[in-house]
Amino acid sequence: MSKRNIKLMPFADLSAYMGGFKIVSTQWGSDGKVYVLLINQVPERERDMFVQTHLNQTYTYKVLIVSEKHVEEVVIWGQTYNYHYVQPLHDHLLLVGARCTYYGNGQYDLNARVCNMNGKPIRDFLLGDGIQSVQVTENGTIWTSYFDEGIFGNYGWSDPIGSCGLLAWDEQGNKLYENRAADIADCYALNVVNEDQVWFYYYTDFELGCISGGTVDSKVTFVKPNISGSSGFSTDGYHFLFDAGYGKHGTFVLKKMDKPGRLTKGQKIELVNEANKPLKQARQDFREQRLLLSEENLLYQLTIEELVYGLD
């Protein structure tokens, strides 16, 4: 397999917005902007190394909405929940915690919170424990994928919300879709392209599934990408840029669908920063045909269109 090094230049420097805050996550929104979730102090893990759900003090979160020419800042004060993800939800923001606890007798944490653009909470609802990814469509459909603990149960859940591995919800937290096509033990990667095209990649089969037709008349097809343990992928529907998988995280493989249901062996891609240093430790997020990398306070991006044009 041939290999190519590609240098990326940062398109945004968040240093001016970091004072007293640390980055929790960086994600693409359906609008093509980057949504950065920050917190004023990283919560400590409990003694048994579990991630806390409710926090023992109030925290301040900040959301940066980043385009190539502008950064908008939303401060969300006085929060006592441990949130990990942020997505645009129409004219609001959706904060989601990866973990939530079931306490028995129908009592459980609500791990999703909708806030307005002034940082004021509007409503809370349940999206289940063990969330691996959250992506929201332009129309407000919330897709959640789950890792193994959210599928098989932990944090008090004997009948986990995410047992099917992949769900879709409306903006009020009502279930719209649940996976019945794939036997998911851990949904490693999710890419919500639009209402009619949702891709996912899962353990243990390491297959790539595509949900078409929306949440009502959905049809699921599968492709074998011949990659084990990939943490994410971008796609234009024909080309696929994968994280290279077990033992190779932070390097990439570009494949294309040469026949229905079959991908090519592909080309290795190594990404370096402006100092020619590999971006192997960078945070990654994949959405549609775009890859987002964040390293320290800098954001980098790469599209499949740029990659294919540069490789041809």
Side-chain angles (χ1 to χ4, degrees):
M1 190 185 293
S2 61
K3 178 180 173 182
R4 172 151 182 187
N5 280 25
I6 294 175
K7 181 187 285 192
L8 299 182
M9 303 299 290
F11 72 91
D13 184 346
L14 306 180
S15 301
Y17 303 91
M18 296 302 299
F21 284 81
K22 294 183 181 298
I23 293 175
V24 178
S25 62
T26 53
Q27 291 180 262
W28 290 113
S30 60
D31 53 8
K33 296 177 182 177
V34 176
Y35 287 73
V36 184
L37 181 64
L38 305 102
I39 192 169
N40 65 332
Q41 182 183 342
V42 177
E44 292 183 7
R45 284 176 176 251
E46 295 171 345
R47 275 174 291 183
D48 56 9
M49 294 304 289
F50 276 27
V51 175
Q52 293 172 267
T53 55
H54 280 289
L55 306 175
N56 53 16
Q57 64 188 80
T58 59
Y59 288 78
T60 302
Y61 288 92
K62 185 159 65 170
V63 178
L64 302 179
I65 305 169
V66 185
S67 62
E68 293 200 36
K69 296 182 179 177
H70 181 68
V71 178
E72 183 180 351
E73 203 169 3
V74 179
V75 179
I76 305 168
W77 304 92
Q79 301 299 301
T80 57
Y81 205 86
N82 194 3
Y83 295 111
H84 301 93
Y85 310 107
V86 63
Q87 284 280 278
L89 183 63
H90 296 307
D91 297 327
H92 298 136
L93 294 172
L94 174 69
L95 302 181
V96 177
R99 309 310 307 252
C100 65
T101 301
Y102 182 76
Y103 301 100
N105 299 318
Q107 301 297 309
Y108 45 78
D109 293 325
L110 302 178
N111 60 326
R113 167 160 285 188
V114 179
C115 298
N116 66 20
M117 287 300 183
N118 294 317
K120 181 182 176 183
I122 296 171
R123 61 182 178 274
D124 299 309
F125 48 85
L126 173 69
L127 290 179
D129 181 49
I131 294 176
Q132 175 73 26
S133 304
V134 181
Q135 294 186 9
V136 179
T137 69
E138 188 178 4
N139 291 349
T141 303
I142 303 163
W143 285 88
T144 49
S145 64
Y146 298 82
F147 55 86
D148 51 0
E149 290 183 34
I151 292 170
F152 298 107
N154 202 345
Y155 282 56
W157 295 93
S158 58
D159 184 17
I161 302 293
S163 60
C164 67
L166 182 63
L167 291 163
W169 316 77
D170 70 13
E171 59 201 80
Q172 305 292 330
N174 301 303
K175 194 186 296 182
L176 297 175
Y177 174 89
E178 57 185 291
N179 160 59
R180 288 287 173 257
D183 184 13
I184 299 175
D186 197 321
C187 195
Y188 279 8
L190 175 68
N191 188 333
V192 177
V193 175
N194 53 44
E195 293 291 339
D196 296 315
Q197 189 182 151
V198 175
W199 295 86
F200 62 98
Y201 168 86
Y202 62 99
Y203 180 83
T204 57
D205 292 337
F206 297 130
E207 286 197 326
L208 194 59
C210 181
I211 305 167
S212 55
T215 58
V216 178
D217 298 315
S218 57
K219 177 188 175 188
V220 186
T221 54
F222 293 95
V223 179
K224 280 198 175 293
N226 296 313
I227 291 182
S228 299
S230 176
S231 62
F233 60 92
S234 306
T235 184
D236 61 5
Y238 176 66
H239 300 92
F240 295 80
L241 179 66
F242 287 93
D243 168 88
Y246 293 141
K248 303 172 187 173
H249 293 307
T251 60
F252 303 87
V253 179
L254 179 67
K255 294 173 175 266
K256 58 186 177 184
M257 197 176 296
D258 62 343
K259 294 182 180 178
R262 195 179 83 176
L263 301 185
T264 57
K265 188 175 180 182
Q267 179 171 34
K268 290 181 182 177
I269 306 290
E270 178 122 6
L271 303 177
V272 298
N273 65 15
E274 65 279 12
N276 288 315
K277 295 195 174 166
L279 283 159
K280 287 186 179 178
Q281 302 304 315
R283 290 184 184 87
Q284 302 174 5
D285 191 57
F286 301 82
R287 187 76 185 264
E288 301 173 24
Q289 66 146 338
R290 299 186 300 266
L291 167 63
L292 171 68
L293 297 172
S294 58
E295 189 173 64
E296 296 180 347
N297 298 334
L298 300 176
L299 300 181
Y300 305 80
Q301 64 178 326
L302 180 66
T303 67
I304 284 181
E305 185 177 18
E306 292 167 334
L307 194 54
V308 171
Y309 180 78
L311 291 175
D312 285 345

